[in-house]
Amino acid sequence: MRKMLAAVSRVLSGAAQKPASRVLVASRNFANDATFEIKKCDLHRLEEGPPVTTVLTREDGLKYYRMMQTVRRMELKADQLYKQKIIRGFCHLCDGQEACCVGLEAGINPTDHLITAYRAHGFTFTRGLSVREILAELTGRKGGCAKGKGGSMHMYAKNFYGGNGIVGAQVPLGAGIALACKYNGKDEVCLTLYGDGAANQGQIFEAYNMAALWKLPCIFICENNRYGMGTSVERAAASTDYYKRGDFIPGLRVDGMDILCVREATRFAAAYCRSGKGPILMELQTYRYHGHSMSDPGVSYRTREEIQEVRSKSDPIMLLKDRMVNNNLASVEELKEIDVEVRKEIEDAAQFATADPEPPLEELGYHIYSSDPPFEVRGANQWIKFKSVS
């Protein structure tokens, strides 16, 4: 009897040490999965498209929610650090577009490839880098993913090729990566992303042509957030049906604010490419909450009411949260716990990103050649060598 009472006492004391919300979540029976209807994709040169229903498991739902919240909070922290002048130079934030980076990653394999433009922080995270490495890169520190030398637009990870600053220039590179996939005989695809502002670039159509001729496993993806810098798509493009722009290449128009739509469309497109049919084009209809970059307040060419309407009706995190709570995949308390954990992770990463040292000047010439020793960097007077003062 004493042993039984002691065991009960230990259980009760253990429960008392845990937050009440954790005990509540642990005692609740959640569904393992749920089936959802998703918006039908518009199709170009395709007889069938992605499914209009999909299954979301509780495990995947929690993972997607955490990843999207992390990207959102990371971008908001970058905004704060920029306004404090700790982050300098170019900085393009992707809050509002979280369903794109997380949904695309959910639809491919880690061995597949991805290249994008300069709004790259979210993709850098979903491709496997930590918030620490990303924020430290933004602040130009040694612990950054490019040793503090790349900044906002030049981050890289395994099978992730940036972050590219020249408008549209990453698209031919993506076709080249897809050519390497085919040449090496690997069952891999390359996701090649660009924005609606880059969609009228001539080099994109040249890449379309090559990819179609050689049947490259390339998914061309236009992230249409409705504004190229400060110009609306209606003012910039004679045709805003970006998914049809490939002409001879099949295309899909996808709800880019719904992570499940993006995931299913990506799976469909990847399967199409892996089958040897050649490239396919996806248009993700999405929206950015910030301006084009940190120098753009974002309200001179669109109204605050428009931004607020998207936030209240189409926010990707809110949509996933409502689905999960309403279908007993998670509780509000459990998701709030994730929010708290994510905020702590971001704060810890920001502390690291501001305390980590900058790279010394002697390393300016490092990492230009893979195996050769660094060369000496010369200034206006070639006989003077620069040294770091720190």
Side-chain angles (χ1 to χ4, degrees):
M1 178 61 97
R2 270 185 202 164
K3 287 183 179 177
M4 186 183 294
L5 287 171
V8 170
S9 175
R10 281 197 300 274
V11 170
L12 289 174
S13 64
Q17 289 168 8
K18 294 179 183 176
S21 58
R22 284 189 181 274
V23 177
L24 186 66
V25 168
S27 64
R28 181 168 165 180
N29 291 321
F30 292 106
N32 290 324
D33 57 55
T35 302
F36 297 98
E37 291 186 2
I38 54 177
K39 185 178 177 182
K40 185 179 180 181
C41 295
D42 296 320
L43 306 179
H44 170 65
R45 288 184 177 265
L46 289 167
E47 292 182 6
E48 291 183 16
V52 292
T53 62
T54 186
V55 174
L56 176 66
T57 65
R58 170 174 153 79
E59 182 184 359
D60 282 346
L62 291 172
K63 181 173 77 172
Y64 301 159
Y65 181 82
R66 182 182 291 273
M67 289 179 78
M68 287 203 289
Q69 271 294 17
T70 302
V71 173
R72 174 74 55 89
R73 291 288 158 193
M74 178 176 70
E75 295 295 65
L76 294 178
K77 179 55 70 174
D79 171 86
Q80 181 186 346
L81 293 172
Y82 197 96
K83 287 170 179 172
Q84 293 171 348
K85 297 188 176 181
I86 297 170
I87 296 173
R88 309 299 289 262
F90 293 106
C91 186
H92 307 81
L93 305 181
C94 70
D95 48 316
Q97 301 184 196
E98 294 87 357
C100 296
C101 57
V102 179
L104 288 169
E105 188 63 38
I108 58 173
N109 304 321
T111 50
D112 290 322
H113 308 265
L114 192 148
I115 187 168
T116 188
Y118 37 76
R119 204 175 303 281
H121 307 163
F123 292 104
T124 309
F125 174 72
T126 57
R127 285 267 83 184
L129 290 185
S130 68
V131 178
R132 242 182 191 227
E133 292 171 291
I134 295 167
L135 288 183
E137 188 57 42
L138 287 171
T139 57
R141 308 305 169 107
K142 284 181 73 173
C145 57
K147 310 295 183 188
K149 297 179 182 179
S152 174
M153 301 192 292
H154 302 102
M155 300 183 183
Y156 310 93
K158 186 173 177 59
N159 299 327
F160 175 61
Y161 306 84
N164 293 269
I166 306 300
V167 175
Q170 73 279 4
V171 178
L173 296 178
I177 296 165
L179 173 60
C181 293
K182 183 171 183 176
Y183 183 85
N184 291 325
K186 295 183 177 179
D187 192 27
E188 298 168 357
V189 300
C190 180
L191 276 61
T192 302
L193 289 106
Y194 55 96
D196 53 274
N200 298 315
Q201 286 269 324
Q203 58 191 325
I204 291 178
F205 294 90
E206 294 175 50
Y208 286 168
N209 186 58
M210 280 179 145
L213 274 174
W214 297 341
K215 291 195 178 335
L216 302 183
C218 189
I219 307 175
F220 294 104
I221 303 171
C222 177
E223 284 186 292
N224 176 9
N225 59 24
R226 292 164 49 179
Y227 298 94
M229 297 187 71
T231 307
S232 68
V233 291
E234 292 81 11
R235 293 178 58 217
S239 169
T240 57
D241 291 335
Y242 295 105
Y243 71 110
K244 295 181 179 178
R245 289 287 194 92
D247 186 14
F248 38 78
I249 298 175
L252 306 162
R253 181 156 59 192
V254 184
D255 182 357
M257 302 299 274
D258 182 351
I259 187 170
L260 298 184
C261 273
V262 177
R263 183 187 71 177
E264 293 308 311
T266 307
R267 286 174 175 173
F268 174 88
Y272 180 94
C273 287
R274 290 189 218 280
S275 69
K277 294 177 183 175
I280 192 168
L281 206 156
M282 283 171 58
E283 175 190 343
L284 303 181
Q285 292 187 310
T286 185
Y287 198 83
R288 56 171 163 80
Y289 295 155
H290 266 85
H292 168 72
S293 68
M294 286 302 296
S295 61
D296 168 23
V299 290
S300 59
Y301 49 87
R302 58 182 184 175
T303 64
R304 284 187 170 85
E305 290 74 24
E306 177 186 302
I307 302 167
Q308 190 54 44
E309 184 180 13
V310 176
R311 279 184 180 275
S312 61
K313 293 181 179 178
S314 305
D315 183 79
I317 298 176
M318 178 192 72
L319 291 175
L320 179 63
K321 179 180 179 179
D322 289 348
R323 275 177 169 158
M324 293 185 69
V325 171
N326 294 337
N327 289 270
N328 196 34
L329 291 174
S331 66
V332 173
E333 295 78 16
E334 185 177 18
L335 298 179
K336 279 183 180 176
E337 278 184 29
I338 291 175
D339 295 348
V340 170
E341 290 168 6
V342 166
R343 289 187 188 201
K344 185 181 185 308
E345 180 189 357
I346 301 301
E347 285 302 324
D348 290 347
Q351 289 289 329
F352 172 77
T354 51
D356 195 48
E358 295 180 354
L361 194 57
E362 301 90 79
E363 293 184 11
L364 189 61
Y366 284 25
H367 309 118
I368 292 174
Y369 299 102
S370 62
S371 56
D372 293 343
F375 59 82
E376 293 170 352
V377 179
R378 296 179 303 185
N381 185 333
Q382 60 180 323
W383 291 279
I384 295 176
K385 296 177 185 176
F386 288 116
K387 289 287 181 185
S388 177
V389 295
S390 58

